[in-house]
Amino acid sequence: MARVDPDTFFETELWQSGLKYIAGLDEAGRGALAGPVSVGAVILPNDKTLLSATLSGARDSKQMTPRQRERLAIQIKEVALNWSVGFATAHEIDVQGIVRATRIAAIRALHQFSLSPQYLLTDFRLELPQLDISQTSLVKGDARCLSIACASILAKTERDAHMQKLDVKYPGYGLGKHKGYGTQAHRSALKRLGYSSIHRKSFTVK
């Protein structure tokens, strides 16, 4: 079966209704054992020709190689009207819970915008009820909606870069390789070294 990449179907409906600034949001690092959760936010221009020419291949970041993500991240940053990435720390995840912490990261991302989004398209489970902005949460949004896919790529690439820096600060865990996820190597390091200050104490390690 041929791969179907995300498109601007949802954005187009909103653009045609008169809205201009549609922000797509998605997260990365939700299930990791260490490091922050990140949320990317992207406002794309209403220019299908430009988007087709520059963002071809953008999709759910988990389905892309690191090289593909890095290439698309550069393109997204050049094309987007606004983009940002917000973080919530491991401590905030432990205190607030992963759902609230992810929403905190999303709001931090939006607060970095120079433009005020008129509508939010979010991936499933990333609803932001505390904001007075109309929004739609899409199941598998990063596979269906280009703005959300782009947000997914930025959330992933910016978090990966952050984990590379944490690998230097907290050696021995292999953070630069597994990015804080629960690989066997990471679990073995946890048993050997114990938890660091960037590990999520509320996440069970088996």
Side-chain angles (χ1 to χ4, degrees), residues 14 19 117-121 131-136:
L14 295 166
L19 300 179
Q118 299 164 300
Y119 202 99
L120 306 180
L121 294 170
L131 296 183
D132 187 24
I133 305 176
S134 297
Q135 53 194 279
T136 298

Side-chain angles (χ1 to χ4, degrees), residues 17-151:
S17 74
L19 300 179
K20 187 176 181 181
Y21 303 130
I22 315 302
L25 291 91
D26 198 10
E27 54 78 23
R30 188 185 187 100
L33 301 179
V37 63
S38 63
V39 174
V42 176
I43 298 178
L44 296 177
N46 182 2
D47 189 333
K48 292 183 181 180
T49 301
L50 174 64
L51 297 178
S52 297
T54 58
L55 301 184
S56 176
R59 57 191 188 279
D60 176 2
S61 64
K62 296 184 291 295
Q63 298 178 358
M64 303 172 67
T65 67
R67 180 174 294 183
Q68 289 172 331
R69 288 194 296 264
E70 291 294 339
R71 179 182 66 81
L72 263 298
I74 294 172
Q75 297 291 90
I76 293 164
K77 292 174 183 179
E78 291 178 350
V79 169
L81 299 178
N82 246 174
W83 70 270
S84 62
V85 177
F87 293 89
T89 66
H91 177 70
E92 288 173 318
I93 293 169
D94 286 337
V95 172
Q96 302 282 348
I98 187 60
V99 173
R100 291 186 64 184
T102 303
R103 289 173 175 171
I104 289 170
I107 291 172
R108 286 174 177 163
L110 292 173
H111 282 171
Q112 297 177 50
F113 273 0
S114 59
L115 299 172
S116 297
Q118 299 164 300
Y119 202 99
L120 306 180
L121 294 170
T122 72
D123 199 29
F124 189 54
R125 298 187 302 178
L126 192 53
E127 303 92 340
L128 299 171
Q130 62 269 60
L131 296 183
D132 187 24
I133 305 176
S134 297
Q135 53 194 279
T136 298
S137 176
L138 300 172
V139 176
K140 296 184 179 180
D142 49 10
R144 302 164 62 196
C145 172
L146 184 60
S147 294
I148 297 177
C150 290

